[in-house]
Amino acid sequence: MTFDGRPDRDAEVVLVGRSNVGKSTLMRELTGHDFTTGKKPGVTRQPNHYDWAPESFMFTDLPGFGFMSGVEEDRREAIKTDVVRYVEENAEHVLAGVLVVDGKSAVDIIDRHTNDEEIPHDVELFSFLQDVDVPPVVAVNKMDKVEDRDARLNELCERLGLYPPWQQWDHIVAPVTAKRGSIEPLREILRERFREAKRDDLLKFVS
């Protein structure tokens, strides 16, 4: 069953990523609107849209994918398929695809799932955004829990095919701590994306 009920908007920023990485909390910081969040993975099962009709723009928090306790594998795969299909079908309207990862665990999770037969979800999705011409942004969340900040960000960039040091990718990689409202690096990247799309009218949403 695919997602339905997408508002008819010309411009969109989508948030994608594994379950329990803080997408909904990040969405709350971007919009000022409180969405259902929880420690139990998989709380978000349908897209959460927050839109502004006059500007024909919205932020969309897509359901998390990957392992979810108590959720069967076929259901997890169906969610991932729906997420991919949603981005693909609406790519022409998406000004940025924000891949949200957990700064503390992302590298370990990627390494755990890397083998000859499997591409880790995070790496796969980052490449997918590029393939469908959706400008990718990596919001590295929960950075308050990361001690070796630069080393960890360098490792993550390397896994995503971005040659370290991570600072040269600061137009793509945004270290944030959504729970504390510390998301200015992400806002700056989105401001640049909006300018590139000649949508200065949207800058007020990331000011």
Side-chain angles (χ1 to χ4, degrees):
M1 180 173 140
T2 57
F3 304 141
D4 53 20
R6 179 188 183 274
D8 183 16
R9 299 293 178 258
D10 294 332
E12 181 176 9
V13 170
V14 298
L15 276 63
V16 298
R18 290 180 179 273
S19 297
N20 219 29
V21 294
K23 293 191 311 301
S24 296
T25 303
L26 188 57
M27 181 80 158
R28 182 187 66 208
E29 290 301 318
L30 286 167
T31 65
H33 185 74
D34 201 10
F35 293 87
T36 300
T37 62
K39 291 188 175 181
K40 182 180 178 181
V43 169
T44 305
R45 297 294 179 88
Q46 287 285 327
N48 280 323
H49 304 287
Y50 197 71
D51 67 313
W52 293 268
E55 291 81 8
S56 194
F57 168 71
M58 64 184 171
F59 284 104
T60 298
D61 172 23
L62 290 169
F65 52 80
F67 176 77
M68 289 177 271
S69 178
V71 180
E72 295 180 359
E73 184 177 356
D74 58 347
R75 175 58 184 153
R76 297 198 303 263
E77 285 302 312
I79 291 172
K80 180 188 166 193
T81 298
D82 287 346
V83 167
V84 167
R85 185 178 293 127
Y86 179 94
V87 175
E88 192 169 35
E89 291 179 352
N90 299 293
E92 63 179 309
H93 302 294
V94 181
L95 302 183
V98 182
L99 171 62
V100 186
V101 301
D102 184 324
K104 187 174 182 180
S105 63
V107 171
D108 297 330
I109 290 173
I110 289 172
D111 288 350
R112 193 182 312 143
H113 291 89
T114 300
N115 56 53
D116 293 337
E117 300 177 356
E118 184 179 14
I119 300 174
H121 290 325
D122 306 280
V123 176
E124 183 180 27
L125 196 53
F126 182 74
S127 297
F128 166 72
L129 291 171
Q130 295 174 310
D131 289 344
V132 296
D133 293 326
V134 169
V137 180
V138 184
V140 191
N141 195 23
K142 306 182 183 182
M143 288 301 293
D144 58 319
K145 298 179 180 179
V146 177
E147 295 179 3
D148 50 348
R149 175 188 172 95
D150 287 343
R152 207 62 171 165
L153 290 170
N154 284 341
E155 290 174 341
L156 176 60
C157 283
E158 187 175 22
R159 304 306 191 274
L160 295 175
L162 304 175
Y163 192 77
W166 77 268
Q167 288 90 343
Q168 67 179 328
W169 303 106
D170 62 1
H171 59 293
I172 295 177
V173 177
V176 300
T177 302
K179 193 173 182 179
R180 296 187 177 181
S182 178
I183 66 166
E184 180 55 28
L186 175 60
R187 285 195 175 107
E188 177 55 36
I189 292 175
L190 292 179
R191 285 195 288 268
E192 188 57 33
R193 294 283 186 274
F194 294 165
R195 292 188 191 102
E196 290 171 355
K198 295 180 170 52
R199 289 300 304 266
D200 285 12
D201 59 312
L202 303 180
L203 293 175
K204 60 189 173 186
F205 299 123
V206 286
S207 60

